[in-house]
Amino acid sequence: MMKLKTLITLVVFVGLFMTSCKKNDDDIPVVATVELNNPINDFVWKGMNSWYNWQPYIANLDNAKEDNIDDYYTYLNSYSTPESLFESLLHNDDANRNTGTPFSWFIEDYNEQGASFRGVNDAYGFEFGLARLCSDCNEIIGYVTYVVPNSPASDAGLNRGDMFYKFDGVELNVNNYRIVNNYYDADITSIALSFNTINNDEIIPTNVEKSLAIREVVENPVLYSNIITTEGGKKVGYLVYNGFKYTFHSELNDAFGDFKTNGIDELVLDLRYNGGGSVLTSAYLASMIYGAAPEDEVFAKLIYNDNHSDESGYYPFFDTAYIYNKEGEYTDTEVTLNRLNNLTRVYIITSDDTASASEMVINGLSPFMSVIKIGTTTYGKNVGSITLYDSPDFTSENVNSSHTNAMQPIVFQIYNKLDESDYTLGFEPDHEVFERASEIKPFGDIEEPLLKTALDLISGLATKQSLANKRELRNEKVFSSLKNKKFSKEMYVLPEIE
């Protein structure tokens, strides 16, 4: 297990002895007369009672709940499924303030989740948004926000900015656009898109239809990186980073190696589609951006509940990083991080899909450098989770093999060096710029509105929103595929390396 300056361990590892930690070992065992219908309910309650961030404020998680075994089993039996019990135990603050979406979730298959955390999913390989054709139109158009290389979408020739007006043969409007939920349906293995252009607020079909069949996709979150030289001669590193996947530390470090070798003067970090991920990876990224911090400087503090106060501590800035293979296994390898030592500010492109570990980077860097946010308000998630398994100590060792259920409850809150953590409504941008379907350009295009705003600020130019912002597609965005994407708004700790 990796130690963070003797302050914090990174995953569940406690001497938890179920009810024996609450009762004297000499107590006479109590024989239940009520039969427990589903033993997984017992796992759910005990895991939440031990680890949940808001455990002291949930009456049904009181330690005395299991003192009378018959009453305890009767309580557990009142829930027909483990998931319904889990959901009943969630605190009101365990949800996004704007959408009400819970932060904690019940896991049907921990193998699927583990693969997703590594960047491996059954997927079509693209993300998209939906918007009204105009502010008073009923027509809805879809637009591709990004395409994953080596995926069904890339094989079919989809590109960022492509527009579609039909989804699975349905011409989209304000009443039927939820047909796009087929994109998430596990029982549906292919989708069809019909493409269009727009002219004078009219949809012009291109008579091109493409069908995509779902398959396993490995997504490298380092989607795009480049160095842009401004007219004034400044070298600007630009990185589109879409997820804190711990199995891609080398790829992230290589991007910063290129920045460092070429001596960039400024950095634009594009997190508009980054919903979070590994806390450790977040600390690595911050370490690369702010190379002036010594290795024992505080980047982010994690505070757990009183049951696990010994887990509380901080993540520092790092000089080296652990390397994991794509199966999630530590390779016994550490690499020297390519840390940039000359930056005093960073420009971060944001949206309402910028969440969790992405917000942790913004919050953690703020005490040390100017963090200039461009885009729209971020998601607002200042808490993180661990995976609890049905095992004696809730780790992945000696797991009950009769099922694949697990839990991902919120167990800690994140603070920066200055003990700041007040961003549950998200970080507001310093420069508000909307991503509009009519203006989407390839990543790295210096006329792409959000990147252009950053470059204009770097060059000292006044920024303006184009006239297109005032006419077609007035950002009445009605849907983002990332909103319902599984495991897409997460901040979690990794298993300890021993």
Side-chain angles (χ1 to χ4, degrees):
M1 179 180 288
M2 179 179 180
K3 304 283 185 182
L4 294 178
K5 305 301 181 188
T6 72
L7 293 163
I8 177 173
T9 55
L10 298 183
V11 75
V12 188
F13 186 76
V14 292
L16 183 68
F17 297 98
M18 313 302 271
T19 56
S20 65
C21 68
K22 300 172 185 173
K23 298 179 174 63
N24 190 299
D25 289 340
D26 295 329
D27 286 350
I28 298 173
V30 177
V31 177
T33 59
V34 175
E35 182 179 356
L36 180 60
N37 294 337
N38 191 340
I40 302 176
N41 283 7
D42 183 53
F43 150 63
V44 168
W45 187 90
K46 285 187 166 67
M48 294 290 279
N49 166 259
S50 178
W51 282 97
Y52 191 46
N53 186 60
W54 292 280
Q55 182 267 339
Y57 309 104
I58 304 296
N60 280 330
L61 286 177
D62 188 276
N63 292 338
K65 189 73 175 177
E66 58 177 338
D67 284 351
N68 184 304
I69 195 67
D70 282 344
D71 289 347
Y72 174 61
Y73 281 1
T74 299
Y75 162 71
L76 296 183
N77 288 342
S78 68
Y79 293 91
S80 59
T81 65
E83 185 171 9
S84 63
L85 170 61
F86 175 82
E87 291 174 349
S88 77
L89 297 172
L90 299 183
H91 191 271
N92 288 338
D93 288 342
D94 188 358
N96 179 263
R97 292 285 182 89
N98 295 311
T99 67
T101 304
F103 294 144
S104 299
W105 70 81
F106 186 80
I107 302 168
E108 290 292 339
D109 184 350
Y110 54 72
N111 295 306
E112 178 191 6
Q113 173 169 292
S116 181
F117 283 178
R118 301 193 305 272
V120 181
N121 297 279
D122 287 339
Y124 297 106
F126 76 105
E127 300 298 337
F128 64 94
L130 299 178
R132 284 178 182 259
L133 180 62
C134 60
S135 59
D136 57 353
C137 296
N138 286 326
E139 296 96 331
I140 296 286
I141 60 107
Y143 53 97
V144 176
T145 52
Y146 74 88
V147 176
V148 179
N150 303 312
S151 69
S154 66
D155 291 350
L158 267 67
N159 292 294
R160 171 172 162 80
D162 285 350
M163 294 184 185
F164 57 91
Y165 73 107
K166 285 184 180 181
F167 194 103
D168 283 347
V170 176
E171 192 164 338
L172 300 172
N173 60 47
V174 293
N175 298 313
N176 65 16
Y177 70 84
R178 290 176 182 79
I179 185 69
V180 300
N181 285 324
N182 288 356
Y183 175 86
Y184 308 101
D185 193 324
D187 295 325
I188 295 174
T189 58
S190 67
I191 57 173
L193 306 175
S194 298
F195 294 88
N196 66 280
T197 59
I198 291 177
N199 186 27
N200 295 324
D201 288 348
E202 285 189 32
I203 293 173
I204 310 298
T206 62
N207 298 317
V208 174
E209 180 176 306
K210 295 181 179 180
S211 295
L212 307 178
I214 201 167
R215 72 164 190 258
E216 183 176 277
V217 173
V218 178
E219 181 177 352
N220 177 357
V222 183
L223 184 63
Y224 179 90
S225 66
N226 193 18
I227 297 171
I228 301 167
T229 302
T230 67
E231 289 184 4
K234 284 191 174 183
K235 293 182 179 179
V236 180
Y238 175 58
L239 174 65
V240 180
Y241 186 55
N242 286 348
F244 292 85
K245 308 295 186 184
Y246 68 96
T247 51
F248 289 89
H249 289 163
S250 289
E251 290 81 353
L252 180 60
N253 197 43
D254 288 347
F256 274 83
D258 188 41
F259 294 158
K260 187 172 184 178
T261 299
N262 286 278
I264 65 168
D265 303 299
E266 304 279 2
L267 175 65
V268 179
L269 177 63
D270 196 333
L271 299 178
R272 75 182 87 178
Y273 306 126
N274 191 322
S278 159
V279 171
L280 180 62
T281 309
S282 176
Y284 287 165
L285 175 60
S287 302
M288 295 182 225
I289 294 170
Y290 186 63
E295 202 178 15
D296 59 351
E297 180 61 272
V298 175
F299 164 60
K301 301 176 184 179
L302 278 67
I303 305 301
Y304 288 72
N305 71 19
D306 289 345
N307 292 332
H308 298 283
S309 58
D310 57 330
E311 300 287 337
S312 298
Y314 74 80
Y315 276 70
F317 289 86
F318 289 88
D319 285 334
T320 60
Y322 289 147
I323 301 301
Y324 298 82
N325 62 27
K326 297 306 181 278
E327 286 69 48
E329 301 163 334
Y330 175 52
T331 62
D332 229 6
T333 304
E334 290 185 58
V335 297
T336 300
L337 288 176
N338 292 308
R339 304 187 66 186
L340 305 177
N341 297 308
N342 62 322
L343 298 182
T344 59
R345 61 189 178 188
V346 59
Y347 297 84
I348 298 183
I349 293 175
T350 65
S351 75
D352 56 355
D353 288 319
T354 304
S356 209
S358 287
E359 293 170 306
M360 178 182 175
V361 169
I362 295 171
N363 194 51
L365 286 177
S366 293
F368 302 99
M369 64 195 312
S370 178
V371 179
I372 302 160
K373 301 173 290 297
I374 298 165
T376 55
T377 302
T378 65
Y379 185 71
K381 184 169 184 271
N382 63 351
V383 288
S385 65
I386 56 177
T387 306
L388 299 183
Y389 298 88
D390 188 0
S391 71
D393 60 2
F394 303 116
T395 71
S396 58
E397 299 294 325
N398 301 312
V399 173
N400 182 344
S401 61
S402 67
H403 65 90
T404 58
N405 292 163
M407 299 182 290
Q408 196 76 26
I410 294 300
V411 300
F412 60 82
Q413 184 168 344
I414 288 278
Y415 298 80
N416 66 13
K417 179 184 178 179
L418 303 179
D419 293 323
E420 295 168 331
S421 183
D422 186 19
Y423 53 94
T424 55
L425 293 177
F427 288 106
E428 293 185 356
D430 301 294
H431 302 272
E432 187 176 54
V433 185
F434 295 103
E435 178 174 72
R436 305 189 188 277
S438 56
E439 295 185 312
I440 287 183
K441 297 184 184 301
F443 292 119
D445 188 316
I446 61 174
E447 294 300 319
E448 192 277 319
L450 285 93
L451 175 59
K452 177 176 170 52
T453 300
L455 296 175
D456 285 351
L457 289 167
I458 289 168
S459 299
L461 302 175
T463 63
K464 302 185 210 180
Q465 294 190 17
S466 73
L467 291 176
N469 282 349
K470 298 178 181 177
R471 49 177 196 266
E472 58 182 328
L473 302 172
R474 299 170 59 85
N475 200 54
E476 286 206 47
K477 185 170 75 172
V478 297
F479 184 85
S480 165
S481 62
L482 290 170
K483 290 289 183 292
N484 296 334
K485 186 177 181 181
K486 269 188 170 183
F487 322 128
S488 67
K489 299 288 190 295
E490 190 40 56
M491 178 163 56
Y492 56 86
V493 291
L494 290 172
E496 181 181 10
I497 293 175
E498 299 180 352

